[in-house]
Amino acid sequence: MRYLLLLSFLVLGHLPASAQTAPVKRKPTPKQQAPVKQQSPKVYTYVEQPASFLTEGGVPALEAKAREALYAYLADNFKDKEALAAIPEYTTALFTLTINPAGELVEVKTLKSISPAIDQEFIRVFKSVPAWVPAEHNGVKVHSILNVPVKVYPSSYDKNFKQIQEYQYYVAVEHMPSYKGGAEELLKALQLRFKNIPRPLVKDPAKPLILAFNLNTDGTVLKGNTKIFNGHSRKTNELLASLVEKLPAFHPGIQGEREVIMHVAIPVGVDDKGNIAWVYSPPKN
């Protein structure tokens, strides 16, 4: 009997693997895919056709008419009269709006504040605009920045004027803006930033490159208003504008002991090799 048991054990021990209990196969767990990062859309600051207010009836108007309609809308819909009454004198506010290709307001930022109450009321009014005309670049509707400066008067200022009006950028003031370090440092900054842009830089070598941009009251270059004149191509202009808007702050323009928003146009000379040679004016021989 003991012999039979031992024989049975030996036989079972030598059975082929297929006859033994097969291990339970587990389905491989699918690899967890990392969430796909959605790329934020490019927000253009330099565009051929800026975004604008969509006038009544849904018809895009000429830039001046659209601007006039926007300020009329702001004046008619600003409701916080107590906040306006608290302003001691005329002042300005500056807002930057991000508008998507569908003509929707995506974001509003305050770049020059008057008071928290006034800022918030303006933001509310901007958000109440039903639709905007989106910016176009290369024939395509794009995300873009739109700067809106606003004149604001106290309620006691003058009853013949609207308390909220269009603001025009200063072009000449008592103390003009200047680059920190002077023309020499500005020349170095432009040479450094423009060195990797494909040549040529200008369309007409006999004329200077004109960099036209706006400065905020703190001397920083405002995004969304830069224009390039005599640039070689559309792509060159776009690259130049993006780099101009990354320049360090200037000393701001001052009028009546108050820093103001300025429109600045700087001529830039380019030599025969396509390199930046001077700013403001050519050197005297």
Side-chain angles (χ1 to χ4, degrees), residues 268-283:
V268 175
V270 179
D271 63 21
D272 296 338
K273 296 180 180 179
N275 299 317
I276 303 296
W278 53 264
V279 293
Y280 295 115
S281 60

Side-chain angles (χ1 to χ4, degrees), residues 43-46 51 70-71 74 93-100 104-113 119 122-123 126-127 132 143-150 169 214 216 220-226 245 261:
V43 178
Y44 285 76
T45 59
Y46 178 85
L70 172 59
Y71 285 97
L74 294 175
L94 177 62
F95 301 91
T96 182
L97 283 56
T98 303
I99 297 169
N100 70 16
E104 299 165 336
L105 180 63
V106 176
E107 185 179 37
V108 187
K109 289 183 179 179
T110 306
L111 293 185
K112 185 177 186 297
S113 172
D119 297 345
F122 269 120
I123 289 172
F126 281 123
K127 288 181 177 179
W132 301 80
H143 280 76
S144 72
I145 293 291
L146 177 66
N147 289 316
V148 182
V150 188
Y169 292 98
N214 293 332
N216 200 354
T220 55
V221 180
L222 285 172
K223 294 182 179 180
N225 292 98
T226 303
E245 291 176 350
I261 305 169

Side-chain angles (χ1 to χ4, degrees), residues 8 32 40 71 78-79 91 115 132 148 203 223 238 258 272:
S8 299
Q32 291 185 345
S40 300
Y71 285 97
F78 193 100
K79 303 302 181 187
T91 186
S115 73
W132 301 80
V148 182
K203 184 183 296 183
K223 294 182 179 180
E238 188 177 330
R258 178 186 294 171
D272 296 338

